[in-house]
Amino acid sequence: MRKRIVFALFLISTAAVSQEHFAGLNTSSRVGILTAGMNPAELANMSNTFEINAIGFSFNIANNKIGFSDLTSDANIADLIFVGSEPVNMRIDAEMYGPGLAMKYKNWAFGFVTKANGKLDVVDVDTQLGDAINNPGNSILSLSAINADYNQRIIGTTWGELDFFVAKTLLNTLNHKINGGVTLKLLFPGSYANMGADVFNGVVVQTPGQASLTNTQASLNFSYSGSLANSFSNFDDYTKSIFGGLNGFAGDIGINYQWKDQQALDTALTKKKTDKNKYKLNAGLSVRNIGAMTFKDDNNNSTNYTLSIQGAESLNLNLFENVDSLKDVENILINSGYLTKESSNRDFKVSLPTTLTLYADVKIIPTLFVSGYLQQKLKDDNENDQITVQNIFTVTPRINLGFFETYVPISNSEISGFNTGLGVRLGGFYLGSGSVITALINDSKQADIYTGFRWAF
């Protein structure tokens, strides 16, 4: 099971994939629908009357174990995942912006956009337990005690959104401007799978050709809905049911402040330039993804169990070696006789990853800006009913010539650590990555790419 998950993750990452979507581009003075995704109040800073979003993609992967050099080495990737004592953490996050429209009218701005989301996360998986499942059996007898006082999780999620933005300029003087904004998100849950093992205490016994679990206590959760009940690692299962029925709501709220550059504004007006979004400082605060969605499907299930293996009893871990279905894992454990059902629900609710976002973009000289971006999660990734997100801090120097813009996001993230990328914008077209430079000159544990196109008029 573990091998298939690991290789699926890296096949996806080499094809495309920072948990900060559109790193560097989101703090640009070229404001539109993507910027409103960071802070809805920004929409009131649109320079043009209309923006049409054609399409936008962002694919991200981060982990705390494997670098790019490992992909070309002779080592078994799955073996490298479970080296050391630090728990395994991986995050894959794919986001697609579909058709959308934004418009500005006097002190108001309105917009909407369609979005599709897909995530596959590994949260705090114990390396000794993972290695025993991945490579059951040593050439000699060994005992490994596991005492994990946290919840180990593997989670897959897909859902769609229809987002509506409203922003208004609350104060507008010669030198200062303050905007407020909100986003209403209609959520269309697609599929979900969660396997959680909380407060796991046990002993892994390895003998030639076999690994067993004994003297074990843990609280387990198995939740699934839709196609992800069949497989975590099959990419087709993530694309089969991204949009389900309307069954959830969420929202963003934000505020934005600008210290205007009046001299630059006067120059722009004199030259009849359309870009009138000139400032010395642009800063904002937002709280995003406040809400949850309920998963409903014919195969829906969410069950809590107690796992108890006592005395001389043992569970053969070889049984899980080639299993990739969450239902099969659950059935193997049920048939072992070591599970006791605590509670079960047909439908279940999953919370979105609520985050606090702070940022500021400062003008250094007329074409050079430097921005800082902070993303802080407000909920615990270890909770079974919670979609995960990373804590991230990014500094981005940029050169903005109006129609052309280039920037270098420099970030430090909770999972993969330090990364540096590169991005360009040419009119409405953009292409970038938050980690491409680090990947080329260092052994980066992150890979991401984003691109898209939108019109403004």
Side-chain angles (χ1 to χ4, degrees):
M1 176 179 68
R2 197 70 63 197
K3 290 179 180 178
R4 296 179 66 183
I5 292 173
V6 170
F7 281 111
L9 295 180
F10 278 90
L11 284 173
I12 294 171
S13 71
T14 53
V17 260
S18 144
Q19 301 283 320
E20 177 192 353
H21 288 293
F22 308 103
L25 182 68
N26 52 5
T27 52
S28 169
S29 62
R30 170 39 166 102
V31 173
I33 290 173
L34 290 182
T35 323
M38 175 187 66
N39 183 353
E42 283 280 0
L43 207 61
N45 291 327
M46 284 178 55
S47 299
N48 300 89
T49 304
F50 296 98
E51 179 183 85
I52 297 175
N53 188 78
I55 197 165
F57 295 96
S58 178
F59 299 92
N60 314 314
I61 183 170
N63 81 99
N64 66 334
K65 293 287 184 175
I66 301 174
F68 275 104
S69 65
D70 296 318
L71 300 178
T72 57
S73 70
D74 295 331
N76 188 322
I77 299 298
D79 292 340
L80 296 175
I81 288 287
F82 302 110
V83 171
S85 59
E86 183 183 6
V88 179
N89 280 280
M90 290 189 180
R91 306 287 190 271
I92 282 185
D93 193 349
E95 185 174 272
M96 182 182 76
Y97 276 74
L101 172 67
M103 65 172 292
K104 187 176 179 180
Y105 178 73
K106 296 183 178 180
N107 290 329
W108 289 87
F110 308 90
F112 75 89
V113 70
T114 56
K115 289 174 63 178
N117 304 273
K119 290 176 65 66
L120 173 57
D121 302 325
V122 177
V123 180
D124 291 334
V125 170
D126 184 88
T127 54
Q128 296 178 96
L129 180 60
D131 184 60
I133 296 174
N134 180 61
N135 291 310
N138 287 330
S139 58
I140 60 174
L141 174 67
S142 68
L143 301 175
S144 302
I146 299 173
N147 295 290
D149 59 354
Y150 46 82
N151 191 20
Q152 305 176 55
R153 300 179 66 199
I154 300 177
I155 324 104
T157 318
T158 64
W159 76 96
E161 296 181 21
L162 180 56
D163 297 353
F164 295 91
F165 310 102
V166 178
K168 187 180 189 301
T169 299
L170 305 175
L171 174 69
N172 194 2
T173 67
L174 186 65
N175 294 311
H176 306 284
K177 183 180 180 183
I178 297 176
N179 306 320
V182 295
T183 305
L184 172 63
K185 301 182 178 185
L186 307 183
L187 305 178
F188 301 84
S191 56
Y192 179 79
N194 177 79
M195 181 168 58
D198 196 14
V199 192
F200 193 103
N201 296 289
V203 177
V204 174
V205 180
Q206 299 221 44
T207 58
Q210 182 174 314
S212 300
L213 195 61
T214 186
N215 294 321
T216 300
Q217 290 286 132
S219 297
L220 305 184
N221 172 265
F222 289 89
S223 299
Y224 43 81
S225 178
S227 58
L228 287 182
N230 302 319
S231 172
F232 275 111
S233 61
N234 187 348
F235 184 73
D236 289 341
D237 288 327
Y238 284 83
T239 58
K240 282 179 182 177
S241 55
I242 295 177
F243 274 86
L246 174 61
N247 219 330
F249 300 91
D252 304 345
I253 185 170
I255 190 167
N256 165 253
Y257 165 76
Q258 279 193 2
W259 178 15
K260 297 180 183 179
D261 188 340
Q262 194 58 49
Q263 183 177 358
L265 280 167
D266 292 342
T267 301
L269 290 170
T270 300
K271 295 182 178 180
K272 298 182 179 180
K273 289 186 176 181
T274 58
D275 182 10
K276 303 177 181 65
N277 192 21
K278 305 291 185 180
Y279 53 77
K280 297 178 181 178
L281 170 68
N282 183 65
L285 178 152
S286 65
V287 180
R288 296 184 288 163
N289 292 322
I290 308 167
M293 51 190 168
T294 300
F295 284 86
K296 294 184 177 182
D297 196 85
D298 292 339
N299 68 344
N300 246 48
N301 186 59
S302 178
T303 307
N304 294 314
Y305 299 95
T306 295
L307 173 66
S308 180
I309 307 173
Q310 301 295 327
E313 298 175 333
S314 64
L315 173 65
N316 185 0
L317 295 178
N318 295 56
L319 297 172
F320 302 100
E321 186 176 5
N322 296 310
V323 175
D324 195 34
S325 165
L326 189 60
K327 288 182 179 179
D328 289 344
V329 174
E330 185 179 20
N331 287 332
I332 289 172
L333 289 171
I334 290 173
N335 293 334
S336 73
Y338 299 131
L339 283 188
T340 301
K341 183 185 288 188
E342 299 295 335
S343 62
S344 182
N345 296 296
R346 176 69 177 173
D347 300 325
F348 52 91
K349 184 177 291 187
V350 177
S351 297
L352 264 62
T354 306
T355 59
L356 172 67
T357 298
L358 294 166
Y359 62 92
D361 191 34
V362 181
K363 175 184 174 182
I364 307 301
I365 59 175
T367 57
L368 176 64
F369 294 77
V370 176
S371 65
Y373 172 94
L374 174 68
Q375 176 178 289
Q376 175 66 47
K377 61 187 173 188
L378 300 179
K379 295 185 178 180
D380 188 356
D381 286 347
N382 293 107
E383 295 179 4
N384 284 317
D385 58 355
Q386 173 65 42
I387 298 175
T388 70
V389 70
Q390 284 196 73
N391 294 328
I392 297 173
F393 178 68
T394 303
V395 175
T396 305
R398 76 181 71 250
I399 295 175
N400 191 339
L401 303 178
F403 187 78
F404 173 79
E405 184 175 6
T406 185
Y407 44 90
V408 179
I410 304 165
S411 65
N412 187 69
S413 67
E414 179 182 7
I415 303 298
S416 59
F418 177 82
N419 285 282
T420 303
L422 178 67
V424 294
R425 178 183 63 81
L426 190 64
F429 171 77
Y430 54 88
L431 174 65
S433 168
S435 61
V436 63
I437 294 178
T438 314
L440 293 173
I441 65 174
N442 199 357
D443 196 17
S444 176
K445 293 182 174 63
Q446 175 175 300
D448 67 285
I449 190 170
Y450 59 81
T451 188
F453 186 76
R454 60 263 175 97
W455 292 278
F457 55 94

